Amino acid sequence: MLTTNPNWRKAEEPKSGVAQVAATYVNWGPGEHILPFQTRFLNEAFERKKDGTWKYRRVAMNAPRQNGKTKLLTALIIYVLYVLGGQILVTAHEQAAADKIMQDVSDSIDKHPELLALVSKRRTTAGKAQIRLSTGADVQFRSRKGKTSGMGGTFDLVIFDEAQELSSTYEGMISKALKTRRNALIVYTGTPFLPDSKGDSFNILLNGAEEDDGLYALRYGIDDDTCDITDETLWAATNPLYPGIIPRESFLTDIAIARQSGEAGVMDFRIQNLGLWFEQTIPPVIPADLWSKSMLDLPHDRDTLVYAITYDPLSSMIALSVAAYSEKATIGGKDYAEHAHIVGEIVDERTSAGDWTWIPTMLKTAPRKTTVVLDAGGLSNPIREMLPKGLNIIQLSGPEFLATQQGFVDLLNNGTFKHPDNPQLISEASNATKANSGDMWKFVPIRKGETISGLKALSEAVWYRGVNKPQPKQAPQVVYV
């Protein structure tokens, strides 16, 4: 079952046990109380059948940040601890997120003497945080960065917070600890995927929620990655705490900050504030509207050509891409100065299992001393042997290789790079996300079966052209004798 962007703002009675605990015991803050959307969610998601078992064995909630997910988890934890006497594991990607939930649970317990009286042990040590009751009920708070966190226990309730970072491997390992529990419950809470999110489970869960009768899923968010971020109806539709708890001024401030970072900042606002969801798991590192705005077919200065050759071992594809400075031109009534932009595109991509002679054929007409960036791994030496004489062949260091991709995105963001309408390039740009590599990052494909080798080659050619500016053309000198 999947519910998307419900407008739950009408007052509702707490009916489920979890909702009643939330209304009575959760510390909502000075002068605050449970809101209608929270009551409705807790009533529906944690309904119990006549035999006492949960109606839904799995519950998921996805919403933009700062929409009260922690308070909802606190209510559930207190209910399972004090009413059901259960064993609970709370996991989050970062220990700080797990600690935040523990602090909220502790604050609610401390404000009610009847709850506090049953606490027999409370430990706040990172990696060992725990609350135990004299009844034997227990809750542990762990970071998933410890690969064995939660192993060895048997639980009635498992909470995967920051579920956008949850790996299917860890999920499967922990879920096995619930098999012997008749009334086990798994809860997933998270925000939409960011470009550097690592999870591979939450998206699959939510994408299949509509057909799963054993899953209750609630999602607040948009699907349009080009939506108007100033549309206040979208703010309200995707943020159940707006405008009662989250004020209008907060959105206006976030928009101003987002615009300072250009298209990437605007896309981040759509993800973080409006819950933009990408079915492919994570969004591409190059927003679609940024890529569209950079489309302009300018003529190039042949004397500034830079080629790049890459090899993708995962897809066994060899790619050749090219970049150059633009020539002076007038397009659509607008004048473009010489070298105002860097232009580039994919020349060709072919499998490494075929004939490689297409590479030197493509390069044989290049001007003498044209730079070719050769980044083909183990194929670099045999490819080098095939290339025409007189070319300037260079190979990048590891840090330079990583710098090419960040530099390429920077040139997109500042409007320097322009490209023609090339379907293969558009496809690869939409398929590229980023993965951390030390202190930097690199392009990796979202859809693993599709190559992005042409985009990688293009980023190398564009970056090299950008940091190695051509010498100004010298007018021919006339010598009088």
Side-chain angles (χ1 to χ4, degrees):
M1 173 184 174
L2 173 64
T3 302
T4 305
N5 296 333
N7 186 23
W8 290 340
R9 287 180 165 85
K10 185 179 178 180
E12 182 162 333
E13 271 309 300
K15 297 175 183 176
S16 73
V18 180
Q20 291 166 2
V21 162
T24 306
Y25 292 106
V26 169
N27 177 22
W28 297 99
E32 301 295 339
H33 53 81
I34 190 169
L35 296 174
F37 105 86
Q38 294 161 327
T39 303
R40 180 72 173 267
F41 172 72
L42 296 176
N43 278 342
E44 292 189 359
F46 301 112
E47 181 181 348
R48 294 175 67 186
K49 297 186 287 189
K50 289 182 179 179
D51 63 0
T53 59
W54 300 108
K55 180 178 180 179
Y56 302 101
R57 300 274 296 196
R58 296 189 298 167
V59 173
M61 181 180 179
N62 176 268
R65 298 185 186 279
Q66 305 301 315
N67 272 287
K69 293 185 288 292
T70 298
K71 297 295 183 184
L72 299 174
L73 294 178
T74 293
L76 177 62
I77 292 167
I78 291 176
Y79 180 80
V80 174
L81 272 179
Y82 285 89
V83 178
L84 301 184
Q87 304 295 308
I88 307 170
L89 174 66
V90 178
T91 78
H93 182 62
E94 298 287 350
Q95 185 64 48
D99 291 343
K100 179 183 177 183
I101 298 170
M102 179 180 180
Q103 186 60 55
D104 202 70
V105 172
S106 293
D107 288 346
S108 295
I109 290 174
D110 292 345
K111 286 187 176 296
H112 296 88
E114 66 272 32
L115 300 183
L116 185 59
L118 292 177
V119 176
S120 63
K121 182 178 183 179
R122 183 155 28 186
R123 185 160 54 173
T124 58
T125 307
K128 298 181 180 179
Q130 175 187 30
I131 299 173
R132 181 177 294 171
L133 306 187
S134 57
T135 60
D138 181 89
V139 55
Q140 301 174 34
F141 302 86
R142 300 287 185 268
S143 163
R144 292 192 291 271
K145 288 190 173 179
K147 294 184 179 179
T148 59
S149 294
M151 287 290 287
T154 303
F155 306 103
D156 302 287
L157 168 63
V158 169
I159 294 172
F160 295 118
D161 191 36
E162 297 183 310
Q164 71 276 9
E165 305 292 347
L166 175 65
S167 73
S168 56
T169 301
Y170 184 87
E171 179 191 22
M173 178 182 72
I174 296 300
S175 297
K176 291 175 183 176
L178 285 76
K179 283 188 174 180
T180 60
R181 297 296 199 187
R182 174 174 172 269
N183 197 28
L185 176 65
I186 304 176
V187 176
Y188 307 77
T189 54
T191 58
F193 291 92
L194 293 169
D196 56 354
S197 295
K198 302 295 190 298
D200 60 357
S201 177
F202 197 34
N203 68 303
I204 297 173
L205 179 77
L206 289 177
N207 287 341
E210 212 161 359
E211 291 78 36
D212 190 340
D213 294 335
L215 167 67
Y216 181 97
L218 175 64
R219 184 201 152 209
Y220 285 98
I222 59 172
D223 297 305
D224 181 5
D225 63 358
T226 62
C227 73
D228 178 5
I229 64 173
T230 65
D231 185 345
E232 297 189 29
T233 63
L234 291 180
W235 304 356
T238 58
N239 290 267
L241 294 189
Y242 175 84
I245 303 298
I246 303 175
R248 182 172 183 269
E249 290 71 23
S250 293
F251 275 87
L252 295 176
T253 298
D254 287 351
I255 287 174
I257 293 171
R259 284 174 168 164
Q260 290 175 5
S261 300
E263 294 297 332
V266 171
M267 183 60 72
D268 187 69
F269 179 92
R270 292 185 180 117
I271 296 171
Q272 301 263 27
N273 295 68
L274 301 179
L276 176 61
W277 183 261
F278 288 83
E279 288 189 2
Q280 304 105 316
T281 304
I282 49 179
V285 67
I286 303 170
D289 49 354
L290 173 60
W291 190 252
S292 296
K293 287 180 181 178
S294 66
M295 190 180 298
L296 181 64
D297 197 357
L298 289 169
H300 67 270
D301 179 353
R302 181 173 168 78
D303 292 333
T304 65
L305 286 171
V306 173
Y307 289 89
I309 302 170
T310 60
Y311 169 63
D312 177 11
L314 295 178
S315 61
S316 298
M317 296 295 288
I318 299 174
L320 175 66
S321 294
V322 64
Y325 273 100
S326 59
E327 286 275 24
K328 183 178 180 180
T330 300
I331 298 177
K334 183 176 179 179
D335 294 330
Y336 295 88
E338 183 181 52
H339 295 187
H341 296 283
I342 296 175
V343 295
E345 63 178 319
I346 298 172
V347 177
D348 203 351
E349 290 177 278
R350 301 187 190 183
T351 176
S352 61
D355 186 358
W356 299 355
T357 55
W358 63 273
I359 303 172
T361 299
M362 294 285 187
L363 294 173
K364 69 181 181 181
T365 59
R368 187 174 177 79
K369 295 185 179 180
T370 293
T371 295
V372 177
V373 179
L374 186 54
D375 178 30
L379 304 186
S380 290
N381 285 337
I383 290 176
R384 180 192 290 267
E385 296 294 325
M386 302 175 65
L387 297 181
K389 303 299 181 184
L391 297 175
N392 177 31
I393 312 298
I394 67 165
Q395 290 184 271
L396 303 177
S397 66
E400 285 177 327
F401 163 72
L402 295 174
T404 64
Q405 299 176 34
Q406 176 65 64
F408 175 69
V409 173
D410 289 344
L411 290 168
L412 264 170
N413 277 315
N414 66 27
T416 299
F417 174 69
K418 300 296 179 184
H419 62 90
D421 184 4
N422 180 315
Q424 181 60 27
L425 185 52
I426 293 171
S427 174
E428 293 192 23
S430 69
N431 188 37
T433 187
K434 60 182 181 182
N436 291 334
S437 182
D439 295 332
M440 303 181 76
W441 57 265
K442 61 183 179 181
F443 287 139
V444 293
I446 296 171
R447 301 178 294 278
K448 303 302 181 185
E450 300 178 22
T451 186
I452 56 170
S453 56
L455 180 67
K456 289 182 177 179
L458 179 64
S459 69
E460 294 179 8
V462 170
W463 172 84
Y464 187 88
R465 183 68 289 163
V467 298
N468 295 276
K469 301 186 186 301
Q471 296 296 319
K473 295 178 181 178
Q474 299 290 331
Q477 292 185 340
V478 178
V479 179
Y480 296 95
V481 178

